[in-house]
Amino acid sequence: AAVPPPALAAQWVRLAREALAAANHRPEGTELAVLADRAPAVQRIALLLLRAEGPWEVLAAAPAATGQSGRRGYFLTPTGVYVNDGSVPGYRALGTRNAQGIRGLGAQGMRVWDFGWVWATRGWAEDGSEAPIRFLLHATDPDILEPRLGTPGSQGCVRIGGAMNRFLDGHGVLDAELERIAPGDARTAALLPPQRTPTPIAGRLLIVVDSAAPQVTPARMAQASPVGPQGCAG
């Protein structure tokens, strides 16, 4: 992970502020958030420090991969604000390989943050049509796909590297709400790593922006449909 150029960091802060305002979210004191920039020439994930009072900061950034355009079955990653509040259970990758030998969600045990069904634009269609996808933040195959992070390539989800996955998971960066409910919820407690060291400024927000676009389109959640919804396996 590295600190991005100041101009890009400032743009991310501005876009994050606009996205949270549009979604009617405010930081609760000082908290961390994760930002993903889907701009094709950027393809980065960043760790943001949000303050209810005071400046926001970009602490670090690393390569990511979001939705690829021009390929059938691949969606543009939907922009907006997504909340990890425990209402949609996350899970862990099994490390299963597909027919091409790819572990779409990363090595066994990698954390998968599940944000439910979200409307996304079909990346191969010219009419701007949409369909619901299961929107995830997850690792990717460490041998085949992780070296390609930094360029679009996912089916619509946000792919991150294994080291970033372990950092977010082990420090509970997005798990403030899950830590709160875990004592009374066995499934949530089982998801969180037993040897974690939660940060005292953990948050709950994934913010997807496009620094090549003039503004962030708010997230549009969807109900799973019997016709047409797509999973995100990579």
Side-chain angles (χ1 to χ4, degrees):
V3 177
L8 182 57
Q11 187 177 16
W12 283 345
V13 167
R14 177 181 61 81
L15 290 170
R17 284 188 179 275
E18 293 175 358
L20 264 66
N24 198 29
H25 281 291
R26 285 182 56 83
E28 298 178 358
T30 299
E31 64 182 75
L32 294 171
V34 173
L35 177 141
D37 188 346
R38 75 172 193 181
V42 180
Q43 296 292 293
R44 291 290 186 272
I45 190 168
L47 190 64
L48 301 186
L49 181 65
L50 313 182
R51 296 181 175 95
E53 302 293 338
W56 295 9
E57 299 178 50
V58 177
L59 302 181
T66 64
Q68 182 178 2
S69 62
R71 184 174 178 182
R72 179 164 290 277
Y74 283 62
F75 292 76
L76 301 184
T77 300
T79 60
V81 178
Y82 302 92
V83 185
N84 185 41
D85 60 4
S87 61
V88 180
Y91 53 97
R92 295 193 176 274
L94 298 177
T96 305
R97 298 179 186 271
N98 64 14
Q100 289 73 45
I102 293 173
R103 293 167 284 181
L105 298 176
Q108 184 176 3
M110 288 288 99
R111 179 79 175 271
V112 179
W113 291 266
D114 188 341
F115 296 96
W117 293 99
V118 180
W119 286 99
T121 302
R122 294 180 172 96
W124 68 95
E126 297 181 356
D127 58 1
S129 60
E130 297 180 320
I133 66 169
R134 194 74 181 201
F135 183 49
L136 312 174
L137 170 67
H138 63 82
T140 192
D141 188 283
D143 302 316
I144 300 173
L145 296 181
E146 187 164 330
R148 303 180 192 175
L149 293 178
T151 58
S154 82
Q155 292 176 295
C157 294
V158 178
R159 293 179 184 168
I160 58 177
M164 178 62 78
N165 187 288
R166 288 186 291 272
F167 177 84
L168 298 178
D169 186 27
H171 294 286
V173 170
L174 293 177
D175 291 338
E177 191 67 16
L178 274 63
E179 290 286 356
R180 187 185 69 81
I181 65 177
D185 187 281
R187 183 170 185 176
T188 299
L191 173 66
L192 300 176
Q195 297 181 334
R196 65 192 182 279
T197 54
T199 172
I201 53 173
R204 63 202 189 285
L205 302 179
L206 170 64
I207 308 166
V208 181
V209 303
D210 187 333
S211 59
Q215 62 185 18
V216 177
T217 303
R220 296 175 55 235
M221 309 308 291
Q223 296 293 323
S225 166
V227 179
Q230 305 290 319
C232 182

